[in-house]
Amino acid sequence: LGKDYIILRKEFWDVPEKGINEEVKDVLITFGGGGLIGLEDKISNLLRNKFGLNVTVVNPENKLRASEMLLLMLKSDLCISAGGQTTYELARVGVPTIGICFARNQLDNLVYGNEIGYLNFVGWFDEVNLLDRISDTIEKIDFSMREKMHTIGKKTINGQGVKNIIKTLQK
């Protein structure tokens, strides 16, 4: 039915305003249930060693509640994410995002987010030059670009999907 009917967890229906910092300092990595710990480690090392960034990795072992995930998103200057449901939550919060595809059913989410501008899709998880693409993308995402990604994400995903579905069903 489109972006106005995206179902988000209740914690993401109404979110506090997120500020965009001048510099990227805190990065969140989350690949959902399909994450690869080896890839998470490689990306974490790249971010820490090349860019001196603080990195938080969320994977299935963490078992975070939605409210805890929201707090991490609000704190993060940038996220590196798989292309599942979390991309919509990141857009709702307004977190500038670098997207990586792990499965065919994620591709449409990533292509759409990239086309309208709330994320940068850098490729598939198993591509040989993925770390270079991530590095290049981090170097080019400046403050104004991150502000733009933030604004587009918040305008695109309004968090009212469940309410819109209920209204439609009641009609």
Side-chain angles (χ1 to χ4, degrees), residues 48-126:
R48 287 183 181 112
N49 297 334
K50 183 173 182 177
F51 297 103
L53 299 172
N54 301 317
V55 179
T56 301
V57 176
V58 174
N59 58 42
E61 296 170 5
N62 298 121
K63 298 188 191 309
L64 296 180
R65 293 186 309 268
S67 59
E68 293 171 311
M69 190 64 168
L70 174 60
L71 290 174
L72 283 175
M73 289 180 183
L74 288 167
K75 177 184 173 254
S76 298
D77 299 310
L78 185 68
C79 182
I80 300 176
S81 176
Q85 181 70 18
T86 303
T87 58
Y88 296 126
E89 294 173 350
L90 289 161
R92 173 71 185 119
V93 175
V95 183
T97 300
I98 296 172
I100 299 171
C101 195
F102 284 85
R104 173 62 188 99
N105 67 337
Q106 298 178 351
L107 190 58
D108 290 342
N109 293 348
L110 293 165
V111 169
Y112 174 73
N114 192 73
E115 285 175 355
I116 65 170
Y118 68 75
L119 66 79
N120 267 312
F121 174 39
V122 294
W124 285 82
F125 75 96
D126 57 355

Side-chain angles (χ1 to χ4, degrees), residues 1-162:
L1 296 172
K3 66 181 181 61
D4 293 332
Y5 296 90
I6 291 173
I7 298 171
L8 298 180
R9 295 181 284 180
K10 189 174 185 175
E11 290 79 1
F12 292 92
W13 293 1
D14 298 299
V15 297
E17 186 57 37
K18 174 184 176 44
I20 299 298
N21 295 319
E22 284 280 334
E23 293 182 39
V24 174
K25 293 180 183 172
D26 295 301
V27 178
L28 175 64
I29 298 174
T30 179
F31 296 147
L36 299 172
I37 292 176
L39 181 58
E40 293 165 349
D41 290 344
K42 288 177 184 176
I43 295 171
S44 293
N45 290 336
L46 169 73
L47 299 177
R48 287 183 181 112
N49 297 334
K50 183 173 182 177
F51 297 103
L53 299 172
N54 301 317
V55 179
T56 301
V57 176
V58 174
N59 58 42
E61 296 170 5
N62 298 121
K63 298 188 191 309
L64 296 180
R65 293 186 309 268
S67 59
E68 293 171 311
M69 190 64 168
L70 174 60
L71 290 174
L72 283 175
M73 289 180 183
L74 288 167
K75 177 184 173 254
S76 298
D77 299 310
L78 185 68
C79 182
I80 300 176
S81 176
Q85 181 70 18
T86 303
T87 58
Y88 296 126
E89 294 173 350
L90 289 161
R92 173 71 185 119
V93 175
V95 183
T97 300
I98 296 172
I100 299 171
C101 195
F102 284 85
R104 173 62 188 99
N105 67 337
Q106 298 178 351
L107 190 58
D108 290 342
N109 293 348
L110 293 165
V111 169
Y112 174 73
N114 192 73
E115 285 175 355
I116 65 170
Y118 68 75
L119 66 79
N120 267 312
F121 174 39
V122 294
W124 285 82
F125 75 96
D126 57 355
E127 290 182 27
V128 175
N129 62 348
L130 182 65
L131 292 177
D132 292 334
R133 287 181 180 188
I134 292 169
S135 179
D136 293 346
T137 302
I138 289 171
E139 288 175 349
K140 79 174 184 179
I141 295 180
D142 61 12
F143 174 67
S144 65
M145 187 173 184
R146 287 185 296 109
E147 274 190 318
K148 185 177 177 183
M149 293 168 81
H150 165 82
T151 301
I152 293 169
K154 297 224 14 123
K155 284 182 181 177
T156 302
I157 308 299
N158 67 12
Q160 303 307 303
V162 171

